[in-house]
Amino acid sequence: MAADGAGMIAESYRILEFDKVRELLADQALTGFGRARVQELAPLASDAAVRESLQAVSEMRRLVERYGRPPLGALHDLRELIGKLRAEGAWLLPEKLLQVLETLEATRECRAFFDKAEAPGIQQQAGELMLLQPLARELRESIGPRGEILDSASFELGDLRREIRTTRERIKKILERLLHDEQLAPAFQEQLITDRNGRYVLPVRADRRSQVKGFVHDESASGQTLYVEPAQTLEQNNELRSLQREEQREEERILLRLAAAVRQQGPILLDNQQRLAEFDYLHAAARFSLLVAGVAPQVSQQPGFAIREARHPLLLFDKTGQPTQQAIPIDLQLADQVRTLIISGPNTGGKTVALKTVGLLHLLVASGLHVPCHPDSRFCLYRKVLADIGDEQSIEESLSTFSGHLLHLRSILQLADAQSLVLLDEIGTGTDPHEGGALAMALLDELQAAGAVTVATTHLNVVKGYALLHDGVENAAVEFDSRTNAPTYRLHYGIPGGSGALAIARRMEFPEAVLQRADRYRGEDEQAGGSVIEELNRLSRELAAERDSASQARHEARQLAKRRDELLQQAGAERAALLNQARGEAEQLVARTERQLKQLLKRLDTQPPGTAQQAAATGELRQLRSELQPEGPPLQKQAATELKTGELVRFLPLNTEAEVVRIDGRQVELNLGGKKLRCRRDDLRGYQPRRFRQAGQSVTRVRNRKLESDFQPKLLLVGARVDDALPQLERFIDDALLHQQRQVEVVHGAGEGILRRAVRDFLAANRAVTAFHAGDVAQGGDNVTIVELGD
């Protein structure tokens, strides 16, 4: 039990089982140097570094969920290899160079994997990996997939190996001729060409040695077979050996050259490896996050913490390290004005688990890791996490459990400050309850004065009362269901918890007589206090149930309101779309009707209307009227039944005024804008009161065209879009025809020529246009189009 600060902090990490989480992470790493990086896991120096790490783990988790494991498995640890190259003239075996090549190719694959748009932070880090493509290309051309030196490693090596193959073929041909020579055939033990000491030889029977002239290189174990190099191949074998020695020297030169290239890029290779180790660490952290359903919680400067649905990470795995997801979530919170939380309740209620969960989750978040809790959880990080949990009895030092706790508590008091989270299990126990309680309260006072945040568990009523009497101290009870005599593992804040020893003993089927005797020994005050605590817990459960019900109702109301807003928005969008569609159709109908009316009025102007022309015009007007009327049942009209000559009536087909000239039964002759027109009585509507034309009063003309003096034979379209300009041009041409213009100007400007081309394409398709051309220089040149119109 170290008393120094670093030792106490390390001991707290051990108590909270931080090293076990580190081992779980290491199991997820894909490389040896990635596992070494995981072993360096420790709380980070600042909140900014924590947030950056949490973001990186979140990005890596998204990548792993979408694309699977990163291609880190083919990476090799190059640190020892590059260390050997520090000495000038050192070289590497081909299989070691192959490891460098495989690492470079895996680095390129990793960069492509990590270079994803949905992970900008990791993408930036991946962009800092150096691919060293020239070195990779040189190694790829020199070293084969089995670690052999390729012919392409150098021109000299390729030439030497071709000569070696040619020389071997010549030697084999000579030896094959000797083997097939009928005179020499009895001298050979078997028809076989073999090798001894790098030279090709033939197996010759010892009793026929004199028949084959040459040099004996070896003999069989029995001595009956001699391996003879025939004299005919002596010179070629010498040449082969010379070529092989030169090949070996060339291979050594190649290995030295490649080693020098690797040595030159050694710092970059090591830097790449360090970055890839960080990626492997992030991958392990992402895998851990997936296994424990972890999240990146909020990291805040606000004092206290609010950890919702927290689960102890190690309870999510069985003894073999396989995920189980069996931990019961709990809510752990400490308001910003509270510095000390006293947790009480039954021994089976999970007080120690709650204590360890608070401490371990703080350490993991401070290390930049995801933790299993609700994403809305909030942490205020403390630079020191100091814990005194469990049985600290030491046989070697002859210390009792209580003495061991005292040593820990003394070290904690020396280290605790405003940046400390202190976790104390069963404070004040292990000795006389009165003295232990007094010591516990004095210890809490000292930690409060130091500014430390403290979470402690206790069974002592005096310590529970301490929380009720001191500001900045709060009780929390671990819920215990008295009906089932079983813990629920939920925490209720603001009230103390009962130990429930007798209830637990009753659940474990203790003899009833023993339990009744124990109940009598408790005393009236103790029984009353226990009853009060049980009643507080019951009321707390009821309030929690009502709160949950109200919360569910609010949630449903918000969902309904959200659905209503969505339906209203959808209906508004559909209404707007229908209105836009109807407006567009109406504009098209009005424009078409306007053109037809202009054509009809032009014909009426140029030709005196006779009976046939009047009938035709009336038919056309009725047709226009039917097109303008909305679909549906016809409108009811009040026909003019009593008419008099000179009376002004409304002519419905044109919705304009007309003067009654003559009445002939159901036929009526009208003066309509100076034109005589016959129609049916049903097409007229009278005024109420009836109106008559006064002397000298003129009737409104049907034609809706401007006076000659109002028409300008020049249309300005400069800056207009094509979709807006063409309808203006069409109306301009129609007005020009109505005003009997023979030549007009359209000013469209130059720009990119898009509007000019659209204008001239339109004019080319218009039958009323007989010709058009660009204006002269004085008129504006190609910025203006002169249009000539027919009769």
Side-chain angles (χ1 to χ4, degrees):
M1 289 177 288
D4 61 283
M8 184 64 232
I9 291 175
E11 180 66 11
S12 297
Y13 286 12
R14 184 196 65 78
I15 292 172
L16 294 172
E17 301 177 289
F18 185 67
D19 56 331
K20 292 185 179 180
V21 176
R22 194 187 282 135
E23 290 302 320
L24 285 173
L25 276 174
D27 291 340
Q28 302 302 321
L30 300 175
T31 65
F33 50 81
R35 283 186 287 275
R37 167 63 182 86
V38 170
Q39 293 301 328
E40 299 172 359
L41 180 68
L44 300 171
S46 66
D47 288 2
V50 170
R51 293 189 186 94
E52 184 178 348
S53 177
L54 290 173
Q55 176 64 24
V57 174
S58 297
E59 290 185 1
M60 182 64 75
R61 173 170 168 167
R62 289 196 295 269
L63 286 178
V64 171
E65 285 180 306
R66 183 169 182 180
Y67 301 104
R69 290 186 173 184
L72 291 162
L75 295 166
H76 297 277
D77 191 345
L78 303 181
R79 289 175 292 185
E80 182 180 356
L81 179 149
I82 293 175
K84 291 180 178 180
L85 289 178
R86 290 196 181 99
E88 197 68 31
W91 53 278
L92 298 173
L93 294 174
E95 53 266 28
K96 296 297 183 182
L97 291 169
L98 180 60
Q99 290 183 5
V100 177
L101 174 59
E102 290 174 346
T103 298
L104 286 172
E105 291 179 339
T107 300
R108 175 174 49 81
E109 293 175 4
C110 287
R111 178 167 167 176
F113 178 88
F114 294 128
D115 190 17
K116 307 294 183 183
E118 62 269 27
I122 289 181
Q123 183 182 33
Q124 180 179 357
Q125 296 178 44
E128 296 173 357
L129 288 171
M130 304 300 291
L131 300 184
L132 300 179
Q133 294 181 354
L135 176 59
R137 188 182 309 111
E138 186 175 5
L139 290 173
R140 196 179 300 112
E141 293 173 352
S142 303
I143 307 298
R146 293 180 299 276
E148 73 277 16
I149 301 177
L150 300 175
D151 293 358
S152 56
S154 73
F155 293 119
E156 293 79 1
L157 184 62
D159 293 340
L160 285 169
R161 288 182 173 176
R162 279 191 294 273
E163 291 183 38
I164 289 172
R165 287 192 291 269
T166 302
T167 304
R168 280 196 180 119
E169 292 299 323
R170 288 202 307 267
I171 294 172
K172 288 181 179 180
K173 287 180 180 179
I174 294 173
L175 295 178
E176 286 173 354
R177 283 200 303 270
L178 293 175
L179 287 173
H180 294 90
D181 190 320
E182 294 181 358
Q183 296 180 353
L184 297 177
F188 298 118
Q189 190 73 25
E190 54 183 325
Q191 298 288 315
L192 177 67
I193 300 173
T194 187
D195 178 276
R196 286 294 184 275
N197 301 321
R199 305 176 76 89
Y200 288 108
V201 297
L202 297 175
V204 178
R205 294 172 55 182
D207 57 347
R208 299 293 184 100
R209 166 72 182 82
S210 59
Q211 287 185 254
V212 179
K213 305 298 181 182
F215 181 76
V216 178
H217 284 274
D218 198 4
E219 65 179 31
S220 64
S222 63
Q224 299 200 6
T225 302
L226 302 176
Y227 294 96
V228 178
E229 178 184 2
Q232 294 91 328
T233 61
L234 184 61
E235 183 178 349
Q236 286 84 354
N237 265 328
N238 288 338
E239 181 182 356
L240 178 62
R241 291 294 295 156
S242 177
L243 289 170
Q244 288 174 336
R245 285 191 293 272
E246 185 60 32
E247 176 192 24
Q248 184 177 0
R249 286 191 292 270
E250 180 60 25
E251 288 178 347
E252 291 176 358
R253 284 192 291 269
I254 291 170
L255 293 177
L256 284 170
R257 185 194 78 211
L258 295 176
V262 173
R263 182 186 302 111
Q264 183 181 2
Q265 303 297 345
I268 296 178
L269 290 170
L270 292 178
D271 183 70
N272 277 352
Q273 182 165 308
Q274 185 176 355
R275 296 181 187 279
L276 291 166
E278 191 66 23
F279 283 130
D280 198 7
Y281 159 74
L282 290 175
H283 160 259
R287 292 285 303 164
F288 175 77
S289 176
L290 288 169
L291 289 173
V292 302
V295 299
Q298 303 172 23
V299 177
S300 171
Q301 294 290 334
Q302 180 183 350
F305 50 82
I307 314 173
R308 295 173 51 198
E309 300 176 14
R311 290 163 295 161
H312 194 288
L314 296 180
L315 295 181
L316 300 175
F317 298 87
D318 60 21
K319 293 182 179 180
T320 64
Q322 296 300 313
T324 62
Q325 302 292 333
Q326 296 300 316
I328 298 176
I330 57 176
D331 292 340
L332 301 163
Q333 65 185 44
L334 189 71
D336 54 2
Q337 71 273 15
V338 176
R339 302 298 294 178
T340 303
L341 179 66
I342 307 296
I343 302 176
S344 53
N347 285 331
T348 57
K351 298 190 303 297
T352 302
V353 171
L355 203 63
K356 285 190 171 183
T357 302
V358 169
L360 184 57
L361 293 192
H362 269 86
L363 288 178
L364 296 181
V365 173
S367 301
L369 296 179
H370 287 187
V371 290
C373 64
H374 193 278
D376 290 339
S377 299
R378 176 181 57 81
F379 286 77
C380 176
L381 301 181
Y382 304 96
R383 299 306 163 207
K384 300 175 189 174
V385 177
L386 307 171
D388 177 53
I389 301 173
D391 187 356
E392 292 300 323
Q393 185 176 19
S394 174
I395 296 176
E396 293 86 353
E397 299 182 25
S398 300
L399 293 174
S400 68
T401 299
F402 186 69
S403 298
H405 282 305
L406 288 180
L407 285 178
H408 267 179
L409 293 174
R410 186 183 68 184
S411 299
I412 289 173
L413 285 175
Q414 293 171 350
L415 295 172
D417 57 21
Q419 289 296 316
S420 300
L421 172 63
V422 179
L423 307 171
L424 304 176
D425 191 28
E426 300 297 351
I427 186 172
T429 57
T431 186
D432 176 76
H434 296 291
E435 292 187 4
L439 183 60
M441 290 187 290
L443 180 64
L444 293 177
D445 281 341
E446 193 67 21
L447 292 173
Q448 280 266 84
V453 168
T454 304
V455 182
T457 66
T458 189
H459 284 295
L460 301 178
N461 287 335
V462 66
V463 179
K464 301 174 190 176
Y466 173 88
L468 296 173
L469 299 174
H470 288 76
D471 293 335
V473 185
E474 184 177 17
N475 270 313
V478 178
E479 186 177 79
F480 185 79
D481 193 336
S482 58
R483 292 171 299 177
T484 62
N485 289 328
T488 64
Y489 299 100
R490 296 178 60 185
L491 287 177
H492 293 284
Y493 292 86
I495 60 172
S499 296
L502 296 182
I504 295 171
R506 184 169 280 108
R507 181 163 58 90
M508 299 179 68
E509 299 180 353
F510 254 61
E512 187 61 32
V514 174
L515 296 175
Q516 290 177 0
R517 188 175 295 113
D519 219 9
R520 289 195 296 272
Y521 279 131
R522 287 172 65 195
E524 294 182 1
D525 291 342
E526 193 70 24
Q527 292 180 28
S531 299
V532 169
I533 290 176
E534 290 180 4
E535 181 64 16
L536 285 173
N537 285 335
R538 184 188 66 79
L539 293 174
S540 178
R541 286 195 299 271
E542 292 177 357
L543 288 174
E546 292 178 3
R547 183 189 63 225
D548 293 342
S549 177
S551 177
Q552 179 65 23
R554 284 196 303 271
H555 176 72
E556 292 176 357
R558 283 195 294 267
Q559 292 295 105
L560 290 174
K562 181 180 178 182
R563 180 59 179 162
R564 181 201 63 193
D565 292 342
E566 290 175 352
L567 291 174
L568 288 174
Q569 186 177 4
Q570 180 180 353
E574 292 176 355
R575 179 175 178 274
L578 290 174
L579 286 176
N580 288 336
Q581 180 181 355
R583 187 179 293 110
E585 293 174 354
E587 289 176 353
Q588 293 177 4
L589 180 60
V590 169
R592 185 171 64 250
T593 305
E594 185 181 80
R595 288 195 299 272
Q596 293 173 351
L597 278 173
K598 288 178 180 178
Q599 294 172 2
L600 175 61
L601 293 173
K602 184 177 179 181
R603 289 201 308 271
L604 291 175
D605 263 348
T606 55
Q607 297 179 1
T611 303
Q613 288 81 359
Q614 290 178 350
T618 301
E620 290 185 31
L621 287 173
R622 287 174 179 169
Q623 178 64 28
L624 293 176
R625 171 190 173 192
S626 66
E627 291 180 359
L628 287 173
Q629 284 180 339
E631 295 183 1
L635 296 175
Q636 297 296 324
K637 295 181 293 185
Q638 180 67 34
T641 54
E642 297 181 4
L643 296 176
K644 293 184 179 180
T645 303
E647 182 180 354
L648 295 178
V649 294
R650 174 68 61 180
F651 181 49
L652 295 179
L654 289 180
N655 193 28
T656 188
E657 290 183 358
E659 178 189 358
V660 177
V661 176
R662 189 162 63 89
I663 302 171
D664 184 7
R666 302 301 301 172
Q667 296 291 322
V668 179
E669 183 175 321
L670 302 175
N671 181 353
L672 187 67
K675 305 291 184 181
K676 297 294 181 66
L677 179 67
R678 286 188 179 180
C679 67
R680 297 179 304 165
R681 187 186 291 263
D682 294 341
D683 291 333
L684 303 177
R685 176 172 295 173
Y687 288 101
Q688 295 295 333
R690 298 169 67 181
R691 292 170 54 195
F692 290 87
R693 179 184 169 191
Q694 303 298 324
Q697 183 181 10
S698 61
V699 180
T700 304
R701 297 174 62 85
V702 174
R703 288 179 296 172
N704 184 23
R705 66 186 187 186
K706 300 179 181 179
L707 298 175
E708 291 287 337
S709 59
D710 293 338
F711 179 76
Q712 298 295 328
K714 178 184 291 187
L715 176 63
L716 296 177
L717 297 178
V718 176
R721 298 172 63 247
V722 171
D723 293 340
D724 299 326
L726 293 184
Q728 294 183 47
L729 179 60
E730 183 178 12
R731 290 193 295 272
F732 176 69
I733 295 297
D734 290 343
D735 289 341
L737 291 171
L738 287 174
H739 290 83
Q740 299 180 356
Q741 297 291 321
R742 294 294 176 261
Q743 187 180 84
V744 292
E745 295 179 25
V746 179
V747 182
H748 42 66
E752 296 179 0
I754 297 174
L755 181 59
R756 180 179 62 241
R757 288 192 297 273
V759 166
R760 293 180 179 178
D761 289 343
F762 174 87
L763 295 174
N766 194 310
R767 290 181 294 179
V769 178
T770 58
F772 61 90
H773 56 82
D776 56 26
V777 176
Q779 292 174 309
D782 211 31
N783 297 331
V784 177
T785 298
I786 307 300
V787 184
E788 297 181 8
L789 304 174
D791 296 335

